[in-house]
Amino acid sequence: MPHVTLQHRPRGIKLYQVGGKSFVLFRTPRPDAVDPETGEPYPDVIMFWVPSEVDKQAMLQDPSLPFFSTSHFETTRPCGCMRTASANSPGSS
């Protein structure tokens, strides 16, 4: 995409921006996104910022899409998360 910049943040976090506005973040493992079977934090979460809460809910409510959210994001700019492990298998988040 034209005009996209990549910032390398502490702890290996990659943040993509356009015009200084973030739209994709590759997260490090955090306690708010864990495997329900093992309790281990997911190592492969990508966060996507979206224009509005309506857009976020549309992503999250479509069972054919692998997006999810966590309580950590209830008070921030609207965003959804996806595991890279589920990127090629919709509906398997």
Side-chain angles (χ1 to χ4, degrees):
M1 287 174 51
H3 311 291
V4 171
T5 61
L6 168 60
Q7 293 188 8
H8 293 276
R9 309 292 265 192
R11 298 185 315 272
I13 295 172
K14 295 178 185 172
L15 175 66
Y16 289 85
Q17 297 182 320
V18 172
K21 196 161 191 168
S22 303
F23 68 98
V24 173
L25 175 99
F26 287 77
R27 288 181 20 154
T28 55
R30 293 181 41 94
D32 64 314
V34 298
D35 183 309
E37 293 178 17
T38 67
E40 292 294 316
Y42 290 134
D44 60 345
V45 174
I46 305 170
M47 189 171 81
F48 299 88
W49 281 280
V50 294
S52 71
E53 186 66 25
V54 171
D55 294 303
K56 174 184 174 179
Q57 291 306 317
M59 274 183 10
L60 298 177
Q61 292 174 3
D62 185 338
S64 70
L65 298 176
F67 296 105
F68 66 94
S69 188
T70 73
S71 60
H72 179 75
F73 300 113
E74 289 178 1
T75 59
T76 63
R77 227 173 89 206
C79 62
C81 297
M82 178 180 80
R83 295 188 60 214
T84 58
S86 63
N88 293 321
S89 53
S92 65
S93 60

